[in-house]
Amino acid sequence: MNRLARWARAEWGLLYVTVRDALVGRRLRAIPMTLGAVALTAVVQVVQNQSWGYGPVQYLGGVRAGDPLLPALLRTPLSLFVPALDLPVWGALIQILFVFGIAEICLGRPFTLVIAYVATLTGTLYARAGIGLGFDSPLGLPASDAGVVDTGPSAAVVGLAVFLGWRYGARRTAGAVASAMAVEVMLKGNLAGKEHLAAIAAVAALIAVSRLRRSRRRRPSPLAVPGGCSPAPDPHRSAPVPVTARARR
C-alpha cells in the first residue's frame, strides 16, 4: 500500500496540490469557465432533444466531414459543447467538469481553450483527410463517415489530459491515455477513435514547440558561462572616474 501511495504521489502529487490549493482558496471561483462549459453543454443537450431545437443546434454546432469547409470551421467551436445523441450526456458533463476544471486551474483559461480548440479542430480536419484517403488506407475512413455527426468534447478532453500529464509530470498517465486511444482504434477503427489519435498528435506537436521554447529560454548567455567570451571594451569610451569624496556645498 505504501508503495502504491508513493507512486500516486510521484505521479499526481503536483497536480493534486495545485488543484487542491486553488479550490480551497477560491472554491468554485477557480473554475468559472468550466462551470460555464458544463452549463452550456447541459442546455444544448436539452434543446437538441426538443422537436424545435434539433435543427438550430445542428445548424450552429453540428459538424460533418461532408459539409463545406467554411461552415464546418465556423461550427467547430460550438460543436465541442454539443453532446453526441448516441451517448449518455452525463459522460460528457463529467469529462468537461473534471478535465477542463483541472486544466483551467493548472494551465489557465486562455491556454486551456487553445489546446481544446486545436485538438477538436485537428479531429475535424482529419476526418476530411481520412475520407479522402479511403478505407483501404491505414489512416483512412469509409465514405459513409462523411455523414456522421461529429460533435462532443472527447477530442478536447483527450488532448488536455495528455498535455496536463506531460506538463505536470504525470507521464505514465499521459502515456496510458494515448495507449487507450490506440487500443480503441485497433479494436473498433471508428471515426471517433481515429480523431482522438489525431488530437493526440496535435497536442504532441504543441508539447514539442513548448519544450523548444523552454530550452531556448533556459539556455544560458555566453557571458554567464565560465570561460565565455565577453565583449571587447570600447576604446573611445572613457572609464568611469571613481568618486572618493562627497562634493562640499
Side-chain angles (χ1 to χ4, degrees):
M1 186 63 182
N2 290 335
R3 185 176 181 180
L4 181 61
R6 287 195 299 269
W7 179 87
R9 190 179 299 112
E11 182 75 4
W12 302 311
L14 183 56
L15 268 174
Y16 171 76
V17 170
T18 304
V19 174
R20 180 199 63 189
D21 291 349
L23 291 178
V24 169
R26 302 180 60 196
R27 298 186 182 277
L28 295 181
R29 290 176 298 170
I31 53 170
M33 181 193 72
T34 299
L35 297 178
V38 170
L40 176 60
T41 304
V43 169
V44 170
Q45 172 68 6
V46 172
V47 171
Q48 75 173 347
N49 278 284
Q50 308 301 317
S51 58
W52 52 266
Y54 179 78
V57 168
Q58 292 302 309
Y59 180 77
L60 295 174
V63 175
R64 296 174 180 82
D67 293 341
L69 180 58
L70 182 57
L73 293 178
L74 294 176
R75 294 168 184 163
T76 297
L78 183 59
S79 72
L80 197 153
F81 306 105
V82 179
L85 289 173
D86 58 339
L87 296 175
V89 67
W90 58 263
L93 297 178
I94 291 176
Q95 288 178 10
I96 294 174
L97 180 62
F98 187 71
V99 178
F100 272 65
I102 294 175
E104 183 176 1
I105 291 171
C106 296
L107 304 177
R109 285 188 285 275
F111 205 33
T112 296
L113 289 174
V114 167
I115 295 175
Y117 182 70
V118 167
T120 302
L121 180 62
T122 302
T124 298
L125 295 178
Y126 159 75
R128 295 171 174 272
I131 291 172
L133 291 173
F135 190 63
D136 294 334
S137 171
L139 299 178
L141 294 168
S144 59
D145 282 347
V148 174
V149 178
D150 182 21
T151 59
S154 58
V157 166
V158 168
L160 286 170
V162 170
F163 194 92
L164 280 167
W166 170 77
R167 174 63 66 85
Y168 277 79
R171 307 294 171 84
R172 292 181 180 87
T173 302
V177 172
S179 299
M181 298 302 104
V183 170
E184 179 187 8
V185 169
M186 287 188 294
L187 294 178
K188 296 183 178 181
N190 57 2
L191 172 63
K194 291 186 177 181
E195 283 189 345
H196 293 163
L197 289 183
I200 291 173
V203 170
L206 289 178
I207 289 174
V209 171
S210 180
R211 291 185 65 178
L212 181 62
R213 292 181 60 186
R214 285 190 169 194
S215 64
R216 287 182 176 179
R217 194 177 302 142
R218 293 175 180 175
R219 188 176 299 169
S221 169
L223 298 179
V225 179
C229 299
S230 58
D234 186 354
H236 301 289
R237 184 176 180 180
S238 59
V241 178
V243 178
T244 57
R246 185 187 299 271
R248 295 184 179 179
R249 295 183 181 272

